[in-house]
């Protein structure tokens, strides 16, 4: 996915950016008021100024995105009842902060050994004194999607940061995160499905009505992974295993461990020591003198 306006028209740019989501939403019942807000591109010198101010380099895909559009805001309304009242309305949204709103955040715990560890089914993020975190999307003050630099030697990754100040891994890069937004139809708080708490019940209801196959209901991400692994193990357990008979690899009759084979004779190690002083050829290999050949 590229974010370069010079190669395509502005309409084609947003169509490629949203990967056909507007057409898919138009076919869904009770979905209306699809809206896309367009933003001007950010000048190259302004991007460089932001990088110099914060002491980091934007990843190539995010830099190209801001060079094409200073943020993203795509919304739609979904009514889960026929009444059409605001009480029954849910606003789906795909949003990315502008470059000016890509602000640095603080308040996280600093560890002496920054990095990423695997804790069971999850990634555990440890931030150090050189780490930097920027707010990419604000989720109504109950959480935020962040761009995390562990240090200047590593490319940033995308993490969910909840109100309890815990980080949960979302994506390796910005392009993957945008694809995840489209895949989850921009349903509010879908990012919380990757946390230990899970999504709110009303968001789960919207998934049930709009995209029941996207998000397994009443389950957390790690529970789904364990269930899938167990299913694979059960399927493999029903498949008979082919066992190899190791006897097929025996090319010669095994000999006792204390015997060495020389020609057609079997000689024990004790006999080899006695004969070691005067080595002899076997009788049939002894040479005859020239006058004996006649």
């Amino acid at each position: 996915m590229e974010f370069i306006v010079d190669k395509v028209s502005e309409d084609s740019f947003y169509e490629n950016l949203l990967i056909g989501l507007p057409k898919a939403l138009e076919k869904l019942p009770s979905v209306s008021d699809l809206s896309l807000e367009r933003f001007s591109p950010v000048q190259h010198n302004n991007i460089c100024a932001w990088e110099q101010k914060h002491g980091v380099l934007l990843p190539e895909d995010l830099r190209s995105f801001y060079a094409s559009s200073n943020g993203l805001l795509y919304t739609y309304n979904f009514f889960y009842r026929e009444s059409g009242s605001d009480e029954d309305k849910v606003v789906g949204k795909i949003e990315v902060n502008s470059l000016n709103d890509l602000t640095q955040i603080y308040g996280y715990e600093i560890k002496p050994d920054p990095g990423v560890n695997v804790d069971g089914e999850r990634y555990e993020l440890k931030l150090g004194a050189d780490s930097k975190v920027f707010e990419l999307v604000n989720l109504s003050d109950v959480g935020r999607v962040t761009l995390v630099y562990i240090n200047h030697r590593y490319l940033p990754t995308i993490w969910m940061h909840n109100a309890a100040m815990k980080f949960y891994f979302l994506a390796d890069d910005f392009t993957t995160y945008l694809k995840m937004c489209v895949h989850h139809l921009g349903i509010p708080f879908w990012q919380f499905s990757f946390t230990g708490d899970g999504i709110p019940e009303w968001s789960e209801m919207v998934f049930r009505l709009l995209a029941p196959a996207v998000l397994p209901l009443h389950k957390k991400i790690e529970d789904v992974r364990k269930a899938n692994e167990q299913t694979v193990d059960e399927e493999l357990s029903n498949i008979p295993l082919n066992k190899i008979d190791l006897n097929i690899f025996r090319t010669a009759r095994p000999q006792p461990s204390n015997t060495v084979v020389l020609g057609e004779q079997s000689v024990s190690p004790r006999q080899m020591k006695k004969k070691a002083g005067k080595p002899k050829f076997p009788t049939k290999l002894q040479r005859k003198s020239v006058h004996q050949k006649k």
Side-chain angles (χ1 to χ4, degrees):
M1 182 184 295
E2 294 185 358
F3 310 109
I4 302 178
V5 177
D6 294 339
K7 292 185 178 180
V8 294
S9 65
E10 186 178 5
D11 292 336
S12 297
F13 163 74
Y14 285 107
E15 289 178 3
N16 294 332
L17 192 65
L18 297 172
I19 321 177
L21 177 62
K23 295 181 180 179
L25 290 174
E26 290 174 353
K27 300 178 182 179
L28 296 177
S30 303
V31 172
S32 61
D33 301 327
L34 284 71
S35 175
L36 172 65
E37 188 171 349
R38 299 171 184 266
F39 299 93
S40 301
V42 181
Q43 298 297 322
H44 176 71
N45 59 338
N46 292 332
I47 296 177
C48 294
W50 185 94
E51 293 176 330
Q52 292 177 0
K53 176 182 176 181
H54 296 286
V56 296
L57 293 176
L58 289 175
E60 188 62 31
D61 56 354
L62 187 56
R63 168 185 275 267
S64 299
F65 169 78
Y66 281 123
S68 303
S69 176
N70 190 17
L72 174 66
L73 181 60
Y74 180 80
T75 60
Y76 65 91
N77 294 332
F78 170 71
F79 296 91
Y80 53 85
R81 293 178 185 173
E82 296 181 356
S83 62
S85 63
D86 291 339
E87 296 180 354
D88 301 330
K89 182 177 70 173
V90 174
V91 179
K93 182 188 298 185
I94 296 179
E95 184 180 13
V96 177
N97 284 349
S98 66
L99 184 63
N100 291 334
D101 292 330
L102 189 64
T103 56
Q104 188 171 357
I105 65 173
Y106 305 92
Y108 46 82
E109 185 178 1
I110 294 178
K111 299 285 187 178
D113 53 342
V116 178
N117 298 329
V118 179
D119 183 12
E121 295 292 327
R122 298 193 179 280
Y123 292 109
E124 180 184 3
L125 178 65
K126 295 181 180 180
L127 298 176
D130 296 333
S131 302
K132 294 184 179 180
V133 181
F134 300 91
E135 182 181 279
L136 194 63
V137 183
N138 186 283
L139 301 176
S140 302
D141 297 327
V142 296
R144 64 189 81 187
V145 179
T146 59
L147 183 70
V148 176
Y149 291 81
I150 296 178
N151 55 48
H152 66 278
R153 296 188 300 273
Y154 293 92
L155 292 174
T157 48
I158 311 296
W159 294 74
M160 173 69 191
H161 187 222
N162 65 3
M165 309 300 286
K166 292 184 178 180
F167 288 90
Y168 296 90
F169 177 76
L170 288 179
D172 285 320
D173 49 57
F174 175 70
T175 301
T176 302
Y177 173 73
L178 275 185
K179 292 179 180 179
M180 293 171 67
C181 292
V182 174
H183 176 72
H184 291 87
L185 307 185
I187 295 175
F189 305 123
W190 65 264
Q191 297 91 343
F192 283 87
S193 63
F194 293 87
T195 68
D197 301 328
I199 63 175
E201 292 184 0
W202 63 270
S203 291
E204 186 176 297
M205 180 178 61
V206 177
F207 272 106
R208 185 186 297 113
L209 296 173
L210 288 182
V214 171
L215 185 68
L217 303 178
H218 304 292
K219 294 182 179 180
K220 298 178 183 178
I221 294 297
E222 60 268 285
D223 295 334
V224 175
R225 290 175 180 171
K226 291 180 180 179
N228 292 338
E229 292 176 358
Q230 184 177 0
T231 302
V232 172
D233 294 338
E234 291 176 354
E235 292 177 353
L236 293 178
S237 64
N238 297 326
I239 301 176
L241 298 178
N242 295 327
K243 295 184 178 181
I244 299 176
D245 185 3
L246 298 180
N247 292 325
I248 65 175
F249 296 111
R250 295 177 180 174
T251 58
R253 185 173 60 186
Q255 300 292 336
S257 58
N258 62 344
T259 304
V260 179
V261 179
L262 294 177
E264 297 179 353
Q265 299 178 349
S266 297
V267 183
S268 65
R270 181 176 299 179
Q271 292 173 333
M272 290 182 62
K273 290 182 180 179
K274 292 181 179 179
K275 296 182 179 182
K278 298 180 179 180
K280 295 182 180 180
F281 289 104
T283 305
K284 63 179 182 179
L285 295 179
Q286 288 182 347
R287 295 183 179 181
K288 295 183 179 180
S289 60
V290 177
H291 67 277
Q292 288 179 338
K293 290 184 180 181
K294 298 179 181 180

